[in-house]
Amino acid sequence: MNRILITGGAGFIGANFVHYWLNQYPQDEVTVLDALTYAGNMQNLASLADHPRFHFVKASINNQELVEYLLREHKIDTLVHFAAESHVDRSITGPDAFLETNIMGTHALLKAARNVWLADPAKPLPHRFHHVSTDEVYGTLAPHDPAFTETTPYAPNSPYSASKAASDHLVRAYFETYGLQVSTSNCSNNYGFYHFPEKLIPLCLTNILDNKALPIYGDGLQIRDWLYVEDHCRGIDLVIKQGRVGETYNIGGVNEWTNIDIVNLLCELVDQRFATQPHLAKQFPHAPAANGQSSKSLITYVTDRAGHDRRYAVATDKIKAELGYEPCETFATGIEKTIDWYLNNEAWWRAVQDGSYQQDK
């Protein structure tokens, strides 16, 4: 049995990982530490409120003293670190929060882990510190460049990716300098349930249903590799259980799309659902498809954002060869599940849109 601390477990990927882990390992104890900033949502974990092996603590990862207390009190042997400021646009307008959380927060966790797990260097407690990072630390790719590998030099182009790059280096340093048992995974763009509706896929889905513009940066030809969030969770599980200590593993969907093609596909799939499910027109009367129009009519090109990377893609050869990892979901199956989840969970994303999800914070 593991006793696991998950930082940022009320956020998009973190919450999915909490559900995944408790389903896979029902005997494990799971503690979530989350400050419940704008991206943290307790509704993501509402079904676990009475779970006997689930604990939630509202606090910042920068609170080193509290983290040390949790590691000792709950006898934590595995820490999975999701907590991060992650939206690139927000990092451009307000970078300070990204440095505070992504760099200083990660360092606070590392210090706490070292103080508890390596208190007696001669008899270290069994442990694993897993750090969840991003493909954006590698910079940008030209359309025909080979995908990023784990040895690609870092070249971050936004305050967000720079802060994540710094945190990656800190994790490595604590392994090399102090012997902390760490691993890192760098993932591509995730999509799926509980995705905060300021990111491309959920933003476009909810905007279609409300007859709002679908903003496309620049020419819309930016390319991203898309990874279904549960496949990401499985990859992290493999790295924690079987990955080599001190190593980095890229986790990707091997599924590259341009932004404009993603938006066009979303429009087509939503329109198909309205055509075959008449109740949707009553549920979402303002949607173009409810009024005989194409959702593509909402596509609007806007000025590109500063420092916008052209393409991300990660090679998954290492995690496949060493750990046997491959995504279970194709993009066709994953995007269908995602669309249906948003259609069936209107109350969740309405609460995010109007801010009422923050009333319990």
Side-chain angles (χ1 to χ4, degrees):
M1 183 183 82
N2 287 109
R3 297 177 183 272
I4 185 169
L5 175 63
I6 301 172
T7 72
F12 163 44
I13 305 176
N16 276 280
F17 186 79
V18 171
H19 288 289
Y20 166 87
W21 197 270
L22 285 170
N23 286 332
Q24 290 292 118
Y25 306 105
Q27 76 283 3
D28 284 4
E29 296 279 345
V30 172
T31 301
V32 166
L33 176 65
D34 198 299
L36 295 181
T37 61
Y38 75 94
N41 187 345
M42 283 303 295
Q43 287 304 306
N44 298 351
L45 303 172
S47 63
L48 301 174
D50 298 320
H51 196 291
R53 287 173 296 282
F54 171 75
H55 315 281
F56 181 84
V57 179
K58 179 185 175 182
S60 168
I61 59 173
N62 295 76
N63 188 339
Q64 179 184 336
E65 182 178 353
L66 173 64
V67 174
E68 291 187 23
Y69 168 80
L70 293 175
L71 293 177
R72 292 190 178 99
E73 179 71 12
H74 293 278
K75 296 180 173 60
I76 302 295
D77 55 53
T78 305
L79 191 158
V80 186
H81 177 32
F82 290 97
E85 294 283 350
S86 66
H87 192 53
V88 175
D89 284 0
R90 288 176 182 259
S91 83
I92 293 170
T93 58
D96 288 4
F98 288 73
L99 276 63
E100 181 66 24
T101 298
N102 298 354
I103 301 176
M104 300 308 296
T106 299
H107 193 216
L109 293 174
L110 289 165
K111 288 189 290 183
R114 180 191 173 204
N115 287 348
V116 174
W117 289 335
L118 303 180
D120 182 354
K123 296 178 64 176
L125 297 174
H127 66 272
R128 173 64 72 92
F129 185 112
H130 183 75
H131 175 58
V132 181
S133 190
T134 171
D135 55 3
E136 296 191 41
V137 298
Y138 298 122
T140 188
L141 292 169
H144 301 293
D145 285 345
F148 299 128
T149 71
E150 290 82 356
T151 60
T152 299
Y154 278 24
N157 290 320
S158 70
Y160 161 61
S161 56
S163 67
K164 289 298 288 184
S167 67
D168 293 5
H169 293 319
L170 284 169
V171 172
R172 172 183 166 84
Y174 267 69
F175 168 68
E176 295 288 348
T177 302
Y178 304 114
L180 195 69
Q181 304 293 281
V182 308
S183 51
T184 297
S185 55
N186 295 78
C187 69
S188 54
N189 278 31
N190 281 220
Y191 69 99
F193 306 167
Y194 306 119
H195 203 175
F196 196 82
E198 68 180 0
K199 302 297 181 82
L200 179 66
I201 288 177
L203 174 69
C204 288
L205 282 175
T206 56
N207 278 12
I208 288 171
L209 299 175
D210 280 343
N211 195 34
K212 296 179 179 178
L214 307 181
I216 305 297
Y217 282 126
D219 59 11
L221 298 181
Q222 302 86 2
I223 298 172
R224 301 291 182 260
D225 173 36
W226 290 94
L227 172 65
Y228 188 62
V229 66
E230 188 166 318
D231 281 330
H232 185 195
C233 296
R234 287 194 315 103
I236 294 172
D237 183 3
L238 284 170
V239 173
I240 292 171
K241 297 286 189 180
Q242 303 176 35
R244 289 182 287 146
V245 173
E247 290 293 314
T248 295
Y249 294 88
N250 286 341
I251 306 176
V254 194
N255 172 51
E256 294 185 49
W257 286 72
T258 64
N259 286 351
I260 187 60
D261 285 344
I262 286 281
V263 175
N264 278 322
L265 177 64
L266 291 174
C267 291
E268 292 166 6
L269 292 175
V270 170
D271 288 354
Q272 288 173 16
R273 278 162 172 72
F274 273 77
T276 59
Q277 301 176 41
H279 73 277
L280 292 177
K282 296 181 180 179
Q283 185 178 355
F284 304 105
H286 302 297
N291 299 286
Q293 300 175 356
S294 169
S295 296
K296 292 181 182 180
S297 63
L298 299 174
I299 292 175
T300 304
Y301 289 88
V302 299
T303 303
D304 208 352
R305 72 180 178 208
H308 201 175
D309 293 326
R310 196 62 172 172
R311 173 175 167 247
Y312 304 132
V314 294
T316 57
D317 305 61
K318 180 177 178 178
I319 194 171
K320 181 178 180 180
E322 292 191 16
L323 309 180
Y325 172 81
E326 288 188 282
C328 288
E329 297 289 343
T330 66
F331 192 63
T333 59
I335 200 64
E336 295 275 358
K337 290 180 178 180
T338 301
I339 292 171
D340 289 338
W341 189 87
Y342 277 87
L343 291 174
N344 293 324
N345 288 273
E346 181 183 3
W348 180 88
W349 54 265
R350 291 287 183 203
V352 175
Q353 285 182 333
D354 64 25
S356 60
Y357 77 108
Q358 295 184 311
Q359 290 175 357
D360 296 330
K361 296 184 179 182

